[in-house]
Every structure is written in C-alpha cells, then in structure tokens.
Amino acid sequence: MKSTSYSKKVLDHFRNPRNAGTLTGKDIAKGTVGNPVCGDLMEFTLKVKNNRIQDIKFRFFSHLVGKSLDDL
Amino acid sequence: MTVYLDYQSSKPVDPRVVNAMNPYFNETFGNPSSLHSAGDKATEALDKSRSKIAGLIKAESDEIIFTSGATESNNLALIGYALKNKGKGEYIIISETEHISIHNTAKFLMKSGFEVSKVPVDHYGQVHLNKIRERLTDDTLLVSIGYASNEVGTVQPIKEIGRLCRERGIAFHTDAVAAEGLLSLDVNKDFVDLMTLSSNDIYGPKGLGVLYVRKGIKLMPQIIGGGQENGIRSGTENLPAIAGMARAAEIVMQEREQEAKKLQSFRDRLIKEILENIPRSFLNGHPEKRLPNNAHFRFDGIEGESLLLSLNDKEIAVSTGSACSSKTLEPSHTLIAMGLLHEEAHGSLELSIGRFTKESDIDSVIKALPEVVDRLRKLSPIY
C-alpha cells in the first residue's frame, strides 16, 4: 500500500509502537497469528493472573503493523 | 531534499531533453502527414529524431516504430508477430522473470490458442542457453527474453540467445528497457529481430516507446488508423516526445560510458557497505553480470513494506519486492523464480540509482539503513 493511504493514527503507531516486545517470567501465555510466508505474522505474549490480563506485548513481521496495532 | 533511489520505477526528464522538446509544442507543431510547409518541418524533425534513436541501437531509421511506451511495444512485438506469422508455428518461449507486460501478453496469447513456455532462471536470475535450446521445437515461432532484469539487474546472455534463434530461423524479441542507457546495445551483434525501448528510461518524457523491427520481420498492426509508422502503428506522431527521446538518445551516446562508470562505483559501494554493516543481509541477483545502477538486497526477519515506510520517513525513496507493494498481493515473481522463499522475498529492498544520484545520497542510505533494519528486527518475532 502507499504510505499516504494509511491513516495518521496507523502511521503514528507504526512509528511509535506501544507495547512492543516480549514478556518473560511467570504466568506468561504466548500466541501467534498469521504466517511469514504471506508476509504477516504477529506474536503476542500475555501475563495472566487470576483470569485477568495484567500485561501484553507483541512483535511483528508484517505490512499490516500499524493496522493491527490500531485494532488493539 | 528527498534521496531518490528508485530510478527503476521512474526517471526525471533531463533538462536538456526538456529544452529540445520545447519548440515542438507551439512553434513546430505541424502534423507530419500534412502537405504544407508546417507539415514538412514536422516531417523533417521526425526523420532526424528517428535516425538519432536508430543510432542508439545501431539500427536503420526505417526499423524504428514509435509507440506509446514499452508496454505497447511488448504487446505489438508478441501479439503482432504471433498473429501475422501464425503459419510458422504456435509455440512462444519467454522466461520466468520477464516484465509483467510480457507475462500478461503471453497469457493473452495462450487464450488465443498459442502455446507459451517459460524457461526457468538460476539463483542469480540468469537464463541458461541450454534451457532455451532444449525447448526449441519445429513450430517455435518466437523467443522473448528481456535484456536485463528490471528488478534484480541480472543481465542475460542476449547475444548467445540471439545467435541460437537466428540459426534456427526463429524470431527473437528482447525488452531492453532496463539496459538501455546503461549498456551498449547493437541489434546486429546481438542477433535481435525485435527490441523494446522506452523514452523515460533514457531520461526522456513518459508516454513514448519504440519497437525496433528488423527489415523483413512482419507484424500485424495492433492500432489501426491512418497508416503512420509504415502502417504498423497508426496515430499522429507525438513529436515533442519524439524530439525529446532523440535528444535523450544523443546524450546517452555521448555520456553513457562515463555515466555507467560513475553508477557502478556507487553501486559497488552500496553493495559492499550494506552487506558489511548489516548482519544476515544478502545480495539478490548476479554479483558481476548485473546492471551498473542496481543494488538489490534481502534482510532476514523483516518485511519490505515496513522497511520502505521507515526509509520514507527519513525521506529516502526505495522499492521492494514484497507482496504489499504489488496489486496482486503476491511477492515478486522474479524473486520466487530465483528460488527465494516467500518470507525471503518479503524482506527485499531494491536500490536503483541514476544520472542525478549524488555521492551524498549513497552516504544517506548507507547511514540510515542499519538503524532501520535493526529497529524492525527488534520488533520481529522471526529474527
């Protein structure tokens, strides 16, 4: 896609990603969605305590980075 | 100032070309088909221009057909030749890495009853002569192999392919758009029967192309009208553009060698320093048999569009073979044909330089790229 066809908000998230990275330690769950073959893969790590999400981080290999972030 | 490293997609028109075009908008604006003096002046300019452009590829003036661009030239070469010479056979050979206008024209011909075979390329994107030879049959009509890859810059063994086709009495077409202005082209030495050229690719205006048609080669016209261009391509000639392309060809003939040398030194610096400075980075295409203006890379673990947008934020314009840069959402067919995995093709970056590239542009991208790659890799789950 052309850079100009993404919204400002999406581009802002692309430039300054929130919650990027990986969580480690106790009570961590990990999930991935997508496939690098198609050019979009996201990985989430969640810290869950008492059935509540305490923290969330993600990494990506994707052209839909910003869009995915926006969806969060 | 934007650092523009996407010359393969579009080139600026050389200011000297703009000057050469100027008189043909409202001074010498006659129609070459008219019989009055204004028409004569236009005819004179048309003839002179045609002869200069013919000189660029060592052709004769009357072997140059003006079209609206390289896409039309490729259409005219393949469809025009196939339809006119149907009796000689119905088998057409192209390669896996041809420009999309060749691929889709071949697809159209398949629907019209022709058979098309795509020869594979090696890991460097090169076509091998024996792969063509083993496919040649008695009813092979036409072989069309691009002079050099517009994407990864690999140069094909055109003279060998041309000689093989000539020996077997098969017509040979080459789309020379990526190579024109950079390599020395000679339709006789290379045994070429049909050659596609584009005006913009030698810093002329867009909207003009050329099909070289060797004497004796017959084509079925694809645009019917008043019979201009020897009846092969009707329509009033685009004289300002033609005069511009002629000036552009003249500049190439005078400056090509020197310019190619400069570009090659920039290219070699890009390749050396980027591969040195960025771990798990690779060069796509042939290390030596490549165009002097092309440096094509892939980086493990990152995706091309993120790379393109990040560089765009730093005012550096580049290109990628990643899926999202294409209308089909498929990664580059050239990279896949070269044996790259889809995830590898997604991480590709094409830097193409040209006449107005400065040393400082090379410095900028060499400085910016490691930071950008490093940042995206830190965010990547597969690095």
Side-chain angles (χ1 to χ4, degrees):
Chain A
M1 246 167 89
K2 285 191 182 299
S3 59
T4 44
S5 44
Y6 287 115
S7 74
K8 273 187 186 154
K9 193 171 174 185
V10 166
L11 285 171
D12 176 49
H13 278 267
F14 171 70
R15 286 166 183 144
N16 309 295
R18 283 69 151 171
N19 303 311
T22 326
L23 293 169
T24 51
K26 277 206 302 184
D27 309 317
I28 299 297
K30 183 174 160 182
T32 53
V33 58
N35 184 335
V37 174
C38 313
D40 44 31
L41 176 74
M42 284 195 75
E43 175 203 85
F44 300 85
T45 45
L46 307 168
K47 188 175 177 65
V48 186
K49 214 167 184 184
N50 304 324
N51 285 327
R52 293 186 78 96
I53 297 173
Q54 308 284 318
D55 200 358
I56 180 165
K57 282 203 184 292
F58 63 89
R59 297 190 295 174
F60 48 77
F61 169 85
S62 173
H63 49 278
L64 294 171
V65 174
K67 200 164 190 286
S68 315
L69 284 168
D70 220 22
D71 292 341
L72 287 172
Chain B
M1 267 295 276
T2 301
V3 173
Y4 184 81
L5 300 172
D6 194 15
Y7 272 77
Q8 207 61 76
S9 303
S10 177
K11 291 180 176 66
V13 178
D14 191 303
R16 293 171 287 182
V17 168
V18 176
N19 282 340
M21 291 172 72
N22 268 331
Y24 298 97
F25 288 103
N26 45 26
E27 285 168 38
T28 308
F29 59 88
N31 186 331
S33 298
S34 302
L35 300 179
H36 45 64
S37 327
D40 285 346
K41 272 190 189 165
T43 303
E44 196 184 316
L46 181 64
D47 291 347
K48 266 192 194 157
S49 299
R50 199 188 298 279
S51 142
K52 281 179 192 163
I53 293 164
L56 183 66
I57 57 170
K58 313 280 192 297
E60 300 292 326
S61 270
D62 56 358
E63 295 174 316
I64 298 296
I65 302 295
F66 290 114
T67 67
S68 66
T71 292
E72 189 193 326
S73 296
N74 283 341
N75 272 258
L76 178 58
L78 266 62
I79 302 173
Y81 190 82
L83 295 184
K84 186 75 181 181
N85 299 277
K86 220 172 175 175
K88 292 182 189 168
E90 52 190 28
Y91 190 53
I92 295 163
I93 295 174
I94 64 172
S95 87
E96 289 274 12
T97 59
E98 293 308 310
H99 187 263
I100 186 124
S101 60
I102 294 285
H103 272 191
N104 284 341
T105 301
K107 212 185 273 179
F108 170 83
L109 285 170
M110 282 167 80
K111 283 185 195 152
S112 316
F114 291 90
E115 207 182 319
V116 176
S117 175
K118 290 182 190 171
V119 290
V121 294
D122 66 14
H123 192 66
Y124 293 132
Q126 259 215 327
V127 172
H128 288 261
L129 194 62
N130 58 345
K131 298 278 179 202
I132 296 177
R133 188 182 286 121
E134 69 196 19
R135 277 176 166 75
L136 293 181
T137 59
D138 287 341
D139 71 340
T140 302
L141 189 58
L142 178 68
V143 173
S144 174
I145 305 287
Y147 210 103
S149 164
N150 64 316
E151 246 182 282
V152 296
T154 300
V155 180
Q156 305 297 355
I158 289 303
K159 185 190 289 184
E160 288 73 23
I161 299 170
R163 187 185 291 128
L164 173 68
C165 293
R166 186 66 54 82
E167 282 165 9
R168 298 286 298 262
I170 296 161
F172 177 47
H173 167 248
T174 185
D175 175 348
V177 166
E180 63 176 302
L182 296 166
L183 307 180
S184 157
L185 302 178
D186 185 326
V187 288
N188 298 312
K189 278 191 188 155
D190 286 343
F191 306 97
V192 171
D193 297 311
L194 295 156
M195 180 184 273
T196 293
L197 298 173
S198 132
S199 158
N200 185 234
D201 281 77
I202 51 172
Y203 305 90
K206 291 180 179 67
L208 181 71
V210 158
L211 184 65
Y212 157 78
V213 184
R214 180 176 292 282
K215 273 192 198 85
I217 296 282
K218 300 274 179 258
L219 301 178
M220 181 85 83
Q222 299 304 299
I223 292 182
I224 319 289
Q228 288 89 344
E229 303 298 299
N230 288 332
I232 294 174
R233 203 281 188 183
S234 288
T236 298
E237 299 84 352
N238 182 355
L239 200 52
I242 290 170
M245 187 182 181
R247 181 73 184 110
E250 220 171 36
I251 295 169
V252 168
M253 285 186 270
Q254 286 155 5
E255 301 177 1
R256 184 187 61 81
E257 275 181 55
Q258 206 181 340
E259 187 172 303
K261 224 174 268 174
K262 179 191 90 170
L263 294 179
Q264 186 161 331
S265 80
F266 285 174
R267 176 201 74 184
D268 291 346
R269 218 191 123 204
L270 282 173
I271 293 175
K272 183 170 177 283
E273 297 194 27
I274 286 172
L275 293 182
E276 265 173 19
N277 296 345
I278 301 179
R280 288 168 70 181
S281 58
F282 307 90
L283 179 71
N284 291 324
H286 203 285
E288 286 114 36
K289 289 171 192 161
R290 74 183 302 130
L291 295 173
N293 73 331
N294 176 297
H296 200 289
F297 303 94
R298 68 188 163 81
F299 305 103
D300 276 357
I302 53 174
E303 195 278 328
E305 195 198 35
S306 314
L307 194 56
L308 189 152
L309 293 180
S310 303
L311 288 170
N312 192 48
D313 280 349
K314 293 176 184 290
E315 301 208 9
I316 300 176
V318 300
S319 188
T320 169
S322 176
C324 25
S325 72
S326 69
K327 284 186 176 138
T328 56
L329 292 182
E330 285 291 323
S332 144
H333 66 277
T334 298
L335 297 176
I336 299 304
M338 286 162 59
L340 262 67
L341 300 172
H342 279 238
E343 51 269 48
E344 292 173 334
H346 287 305
S348 70
L349 170 74
E350 179 181 348
L351 304 178
S352 50
I353 52 181
R355 183 169 293 165
F356 305 102
T357 304
K358 301 182 293 292
E359 186 89 47
S360 61
D361 298 333
I362 307 296
D363 296 337
S364 300
V365 71
I366 285 174
K367 182 170 174 288
L369 200 55
E371 294 165 25
V372 166
V373 169
D374 187 53
R375 173 179 173 270
L376 292 171
R377 278 177 170 169
K378 282 196 177 118
L379 300 170
S380 168
I382 60 167
Y383 186 75

